[in-house]
Amino acid sequence: VNEILHAADGTSIKCGVTGETGCSWPLTESERRVLRATAHAQAQLGCPVIIHPGRNRRAPFQIIRVLQEAGADTSETVMSHLDRTLLGKGELLEFAQLGCYLEYDLFGSELFHYQFNPEIDMPNDNKRIARVRLLVDEGYEDRILMAHDIHTKHRLTKYGGHGYSHILTNIVPKMLFRGITEAALDKILIENPKQWLTFK
């Protein structure tokens, strides 16, 4: 709360979101405590929240339940990394009903072996596009966010990676080709982030 209202770490910079709150699977007691504190801060300030779920398909459901029980407005919460967490259509649509933002944020990550959980067959960008199309077709276009989670040098264009332009340069044209409308993409890429980042 102090970092949002005043400033963070001795600087004059105020935080604009709470998170990305990292969670493992199963949740530790410390992580539960942090999630409850996140919910209390959000209830007090109306701030946006973003969550990094554990690498298990039940993790996002468990996290949302903890947040709801602590009084969070989960409609202002982003669940990150769904492309590596909720792989089945049924579980994705079940989770979408809970009302949080659904973030597909590993665009550009094309992995044969996902070292953090070898049981997961990491989807490629074509499968991510198909999942976003499914969510749009099911009426969730106002709950979708997209990103590419660039966090290592080799993902930058300078070092041979896709870089920060990957979504606009490569993914958006393919999404248009796959039948996702420009209006839906404007909502996903412009309106949804703007709406989420607005304090309520």
Side-chain angles (χ1 to χ4, degrees), residues 145-158:
L145 296 173
M146 290 172 42
H148 26 49
D149 201 27
I150 293 178
H151 58 281
T152 54
K153 284 195 325 186
H154 79 280
R155 304 275 312 280
L156 299 172
T157 53
K158 178 179 178 179

Side-chain angles (χ1 to χ4, degrees), residues 54-73:
R55 292 172 178 89
N56 183 287
R57 61 186 181 79
R58 295 187 307 258
F61 294 93
Q62 181 187 41
I63 292 163
I64 290 296
R65 186 171 55 252
V66 171
L67 289 170
Q68 288 173 332
E69 289 171 357
D73 178 0

Side-chain angles (χ1 to χ4, degrees), residues 10-157:
T11 71
S12 61
I13 300 168
K14 295 179 181 181
C15 294
V17 303
T18 300
E20 182 182 33
T21 303
C23 298
S24 54
W25 176 260
L27 285 172
T28 66
E29 187 49 43
S30 175
E31 290 167 341
R32 288 176 184 275
R33 202 166 46 248
V34 169
L35 287 170
R36 288 191 293 268
T38 298
H40 292 266
Q42 186 195 48
Q44 180 180 340
L45 302 173
C47 57
V49 169
I50 186 166
I51 304 291
H52 170 106
R55 292 172 178 89
N56 183 287
R57 61 186 181 79
R58 295 187 307 258
F61 294 93
Q62 181 187 41
I63 292 163
I64 290 296
R65 186 171 55 252
V66 171
L67 289 170
Q68 288 173 332
E69 289 171 357
D73 178 0
T74 53
S75 72
E76 298 304 323
T77 299
V78 171
M79 191 63 65
S80 302
H81 313 317
L82 290 183
D83 27 5
R84 61 94 164 130
T85 310
L86 297 178
L87 302 176
K89 291 180 183 179
E91 64 192 3
L92 174 60
L93 294 176
E94 179 185 352
F95 185 72
Q97 292 175 12
L98 298 178
C100 70
Y101 283 99
L102 311 163
E103 187 167 82
Y104 276 73
D105 54 16
L106 296 170
F107 280 96
S109 293
E110 305 273 339
L111 304 172
F112 171 74
H113 175 72
Y114 184 51
Q115 65 187 17
F116 299 112
N117 187 345
E119 294 178 12
I120 293 175
D121 290 330
M122 182 70 87
N124 60 28
D125 282 352
N126 285 317
K127 289 183 181 177
R128 290 182 185 101
I129 291 169
R131 283 298 187 257
V132 170
R133 170 72 194 264
L134 170 69
L135 289 168
V136 169
D137 289 348
E138 293 291 329
Y140 293 106
E141 68 186 43
D142 61 340
R143 305 309 299 167
I144 304 166
L145 296 173
M146 290 172 42
H148 26 49
D149 201 27
I150 293 178
H151 58 281
T152 54
K153 284 195 325 186
H154 79 280
R155 304 275 312 280
L156 299 172
T157 53

Side-chain angles (χ1 to χ4, degrees), residues 162-181:
H162 292 316
Y164 291 109
S165 66
H166 178 58
I167 288 175
L168 295 178
T169 303
N170 302 315
I171 301 302
V172 166
K174 187 110 181 200
M175 289 180 140
L176 291 166
F177 179 75
R178 293 280 176 89
I180 299 175
T181 66

